[in-house]
Amino acid sequence: MSPILNGRPGRHASLPRPLVLALAAALVVPLAACSTGGGSGADESRSTLVYATGDAEPTCLDPHVGGNFPQALLATQVIESLVSLDDDGGIVPWLATDWEQSEDGLSWDFTLDPDALFTDGTPVDSAAVKTNIEHLQDPETASSTGYLAVQQIADIELVSDSVVRFHLSRPDAALLESLAQPWTAIQSPAGIARGMEENCLAPIGSGPFIVADWVKQDRITLERNADYRTPPTGFEAIDDGVQQVTWRFIPDATARFAALESGQVDIIDNPLPENIVTAQASDALAHLDAPRPGASNRLELNTGQAPFDDRLVREAFIASTDLNAGIQALFEGTAERSYSALSSAEPLAVQSPEAYEVDPERANELLDQAGWTERGADGIRTKNGQALTVRFPVTGAQSTQAEQALFEQIQAQAREAGFDVQISLLDLGSWYGALGAHEYELVSAPYTKIGPDVLRFLYHSDATVPAPSGYFANHAMLRDPELDALLETIGTESDPALRAAAAEAAQLRIAESQAILPIYDQQNHFLYRADLDGFRALPTVNTPWLGGVTAG
C-alpha cells in the first residue's frame, strides 16, 4: 500500500535526460488527445482534469477486494463511507448523519442521509449497508483490509430504511475509525450483485464521479455525477467543478513530472524528492504533503525463524544500520526519520529513538555473543557452517527509487557487521507469494489504517494467521501475550485515557522487542498545477478528493 518503484532498483538518479524527454513526449501526446484542457495551455473553461499516478494499477477497482492504497486513491472519487474525519482527526458525518453506541458497547445504530443515492438511482439505505458489510465478510470477496476492519460485526439489524444496527461480538473502540476508510466504503448492492468480475471493472457508488471506462495499462475515465449531493463534512460539492477526470498510469516518475511541468497533466502523486523541491520553488506548481495515518514505514524482522528468532541477532542488525544520513541525502529534506511503529499523523504516536541507537562495535559484540563468530572469505559471518543470510524481498509497487537506494545502504552497512542481506526485486504477486511462504527474514510492508488499532492488525498473535485473502499483516511474527493484552485494550476500551495508555505501552513494548526498524512516515506527496482550486486530501487516509476541484 505504498508508492510504486519508478525505475531500476536502488537507483536514485533519474533516467538520462534525452531518454526522459523522449519518453515524456511519447506519454504527453495521448494525454493531450484525451483532455479538453490540461494545464497552462488550457481553455479558460477547462472541464477535464488529468491525474497521473505512479502507484501500481489496481487489478480490481472495488476496494472491498483485497484492499490496498492504489484502490483507495481512485475509490475516493467514486464510493463514499459512512463517516469521515475532520482536519483534527475527529469523526464527522458522511453517509451516516448520526450514530449512537449502546452502554455495553455491543451495538451501534447509524442513521443514514435520506438524500444519499447511488449513481444507479437506488437509495443508500440500511439494506445497502447490510449488503456491503456481508460482502466484506464473505471469504469469496477475498478482502483483507476491509475484512479486518469489520470483523467484530456479528449481526446487522435493519431497524428501518434509514437506520441500521450493528451487533458486535465484542466492543470495538476503533469501529468509527474503520468505517471512515475507503476499504469499507458503501457500494450499490445492484453493482455487487453483478459479480466480482464486472464490479471490479466499475464499482457503483454515491460519490462525485462515475467510472465510465477503463483501458488497462493506460487510463481510467471518470465522468461527473450530475446528481451528487453527499460530500463529506467540511467539503463542498460544486456544480462548476471538473466534469471529467482522466486517470493515467505513468510508472516513470521523471516522465510523470515532465508531463506535469509541460501542462499536459494537472496532478501527480509519488514524485521524486528533487521534483518536490523543484515544485516548491515554482510559481506554476504547488505541493501537498499528506502523510498517511496508521503505521510508519518500517522494516520488520521475522522473529519466527532464524536468524532473527534470536533477539541478539535482531539487536545487532538494528545497531549496525545508520539511516539518518541516508534519509537526509536521498529525500532532500522531504522525509523525517521515524522512531515509532505509528505514523506521526497519529496523535498517539510515541517516538523511541533510544531503542534504535547505532553502534557498529556493539553489533559485532552481539553477533559474537550469539555464536556467529566465524567469517567467510567474503566477510559474511557463519555459524555451524551456515551463512548469516537475510532475505529481503522488495516489490516495485511498494517502494520508491529513493527508498530502494536507502535499502541498498542498509544492505551495505549490515554487511560490515557480517550480514548477507539479499535484496530481491519482485512483482507484486511474487512478493505476496514470498511473504505467504515465509520466504523472508526482512520486509518493508507499510499498512494504512486510521487510529492506533493498526498496531493490533500488525502485531497481535492472531495476525500471524492469514485473512480470507491469504494475507497476514504480522510480518514480524510477534507472539507476545503481554503485547496482545495491550492491543486488545486499544481495540476495545472506550475510555480515551485508558486507550492512550495502552497504545503508549504497546509501542514501547514493540520497540523493546527489536522486531522492527522504523524509517519514516509513509510518504504521500502530491504535486499539482497552481491554477487548480479546491484540490484537497480527504483527512481519512489522505487520498486526494477531486469532487470540489475547479481548473482555471
Side-chain angles (χ1 to χ4, degrees):
M1 308 177 186
S2 222
I4 193 168
L5 171 65
N6 302 303
R8 292 178 57 191
R11 287 287 300 277
H12 177 57
S14 302
L15 293 170
R17 184 68 176 170
L19 179 58
V20 166
L21 293 175
L23 179 57
L27 290 165
V28 163
V29 171
L31 287 173
C34 61
S35 174
T36 59
S40 57
D43 297 332
E44 291 185 4
S45 57
R46 191 151 45 108
S47 62
T48 296
L49 179 147
V50 181
Y51 182 105
T53 182
D55 260 301
E57 181 174 4
T59 57
C60 175
L61 302 186
D62 176 0
H64 290 187
V65 178
N68 55 41
F69 207 78
Q71 290 174 304
L73 286 168
L74 191 129
T76 300
Q77 322 313 322
V78 177
I79 310 170
E80 302 186 297
S81 300
L82 287 176
V83 295
S84 186
L85 268 64
D86 61 23
D87 290 332
D88 296 322
I91 302 292
V92 294
W94 197 349
L95 292 178
T97 58
D98 194 19
W99 50 88
E100 183 178 3
Q101 182 184 20
S102 64
E103 288 189 11
D104 62 6
L106 292 177
S107 68
W108 287 76
D109 284 8
F110 291 88
T111 301
L112 305 174
D113 186 339
D115 292 329
L117 289 175
F118 296 112
T119 56
D120 61 6
T122 60
V124 182
D125 57 15
S126 59
V129 174
K130 177 180 172 70
T131 296
N132 275 260
I133 300 300
E134 291 174 344
H135 185 240
L136 285 163
Q137 293 179 335
D138 185 351
E140 294 297 320
T141 303
S143 175
S144 176
T145 309
Y147 168 84
L148 293 171
V150 300
Q151 62 183 332
Q152 311 305 334
I153 300 176
D155 187 54
I156 304 149
E157 179 183 351
L158 306 185
V159 178
S160 68
D161 286 347
S162 60
V163 178
V164 61
R165 178 174 296 155
F166 294 162
H167 296 279
L168 309 185
S169 58
R170 66 154 177 80
D172 187 353
L175 182 64
L176 294 178
E177 297 167 351
S178 296
L179 294 175
Q181 300 178 136
W183 303 287
T184 57
I186 306 302
Q187 308 175 44
S188 165
I192 292 173
R194 296 173 300 175
M196 181 183 293
E197 182 175 354
E198 188 170 351
N199 202 52
C200 276
L201 292 174
I204 300 170
S206 56
F209 294 97
I210 301 166
V211 178
D213 185 42
W214 182 6
V215 180
K216 298 289 184 70
Q217 300 180 348
D218 182 14
R219 69 183 183 274
I220 296 171
T221 301
L222 305 178
E223 300 285 356
R224 188 77 172 186
N225 173 10
D227 298 321
Y228 184 57
R229 62 189 74 184
T230 52
T233 299
F235 287 69
E236 183 181 359
I238 53 177
D239 293 334
D240 60 346
V242 294
Q243 299 300 301
Q244 184 181 89
V245 175
T246 303
W247 194 278
R248 295 298 302 250
F249 301 100
I250 305 180
D252 183 84
T254 306
R256 202 161 57 249
F257 184 65
L260 177 70
E261 283 192 303
S262 71
Q264 298 301 314
V265 162
D266 297 290
I267 305 170
I268 67 170
D269 58 30
N270 299 313
L272 295 173
E274 61 261 34
N275 298 156
I276 298 173
V277 174
T278 299
Q280 289 173 332
S282 169
D283 292 334
L285 302 177
H287 171 224
L288 176 61
D289 183 7
R292 302 176 195 178
S296 65
N297 201 343
R298 70 229 173 277
L299 299 184
E300 294 185 290
L301 286 63
N302 186 346
T303 68
Q305 59 201 41
F308 289 143
D309 56 348
D310 187 336
R311 179 193 167 85
L312 294 175
V313 180
R314 300 199 299 274
E315 286 188 68
F317 179 83
I318 289 172
S320 72
T321 54
D322 184 0
L323 303 180
N324 292 347
I327 291 173
Q328 181 62 33
L330 293 168
F331 288 87
E332 302 186 27
T334 64
E336 185 174 343
R337 174 69 195 276
S338 171
Y339 296 97
S340 173
L342 285 180
S343 165
S344 64
E346 293 293 344
L348 297 181
V350 175
Q351 303 291 327
S352 301
E354 68 283 352
Y356 304 104
E357 292 182 353
V358 180
D359 189 341
E361 183 176 344
R362 175 166 167 74
N364 281 293
E365 292 172 354
L366 289 166
L367 289 174
D368 287 342
Q369 187 179 343
W372 295 90
T373 55
E374 303 295 327
R375 285 185 184 253
D378 56 0
I380 301 303
R381 287 180 180 256
T382 63
K383 179 180 179 181
N384 300 327
Q386 297 295 315
L388 185 53
T389 300
V390 175
R391 294 169 295 177
F392 185 7
V394 174
T395 174
Q398 291 187 300
S399 58
T400 62
Q401 282 177 283
E403 189 171 76
Q404 279 289 310
L406 183 65
F407 291 163
E408 289 192 349
Q409 289 189 7
I410 292 170
Q411 179 186 46
Q413 291 169 352
R415 189 178 186 86
E416 291 295 316
F419 287 92
D420 179 19
V421 178
Q422 299 179 352
I423 298 175
S424 56
L425 183 63
L426 304 175
D427 62 70
L428 190 58
S430 299
W431 182 82
Y432 278 121
L435 267 57
H438 295 274
E439 295 172 350
Y440 71 96
E441 283 72 50
L442 194 66
V443 70
S444 170
Y447 199 100
T448 302
K449 185 191 186 301
I450 300 167
D453 195 43
V454 69
L455 298 173
R456 180 173 61 88
F457 283 35
L458 294 176
Y459 301 114
H460 195 286
S461 299
D462 290 347
T464 62
V465 179
S469 65
Y471 185 78
F472 63 95
N474 187 347
H475 299 119
M477 297 302 288
L478 281 176
R479 295 184 177 93
D480 178 353
E482 184 173 333
L483 177 60
D484 287 349
L486 293 169
L487 299 177
E488 288 291 343
T489 300
I490 295 171
T492 60
E493 182 54 64
S494 58
D495 184 312
L498 293 176
R499 194 179 191 222
E504 178 179 1
Q507 289 173 78
L508 294 175
R509 190 160 183 86
I510 292 166
E512 193 274 336
S513 75
Q514 298 283 278
I516 69 169
L517 178 58
I519 307 176
Y520 36 63
D521 289 341
Q522 294 185 60
Q523 299 299 287
N524 207 33
H525 297 276
F526 304 93
L527 302 181
Y528 59 100
R529 304 292 305 178
D531 66 349
L532 292 186
D533 185 47
F535 176 59
R536 299 173 59 185
L538 190 64
T540 53
V541 297
N542 276 332
T543 47
W545 195 77
L546 306 179
V549 173
T550 57

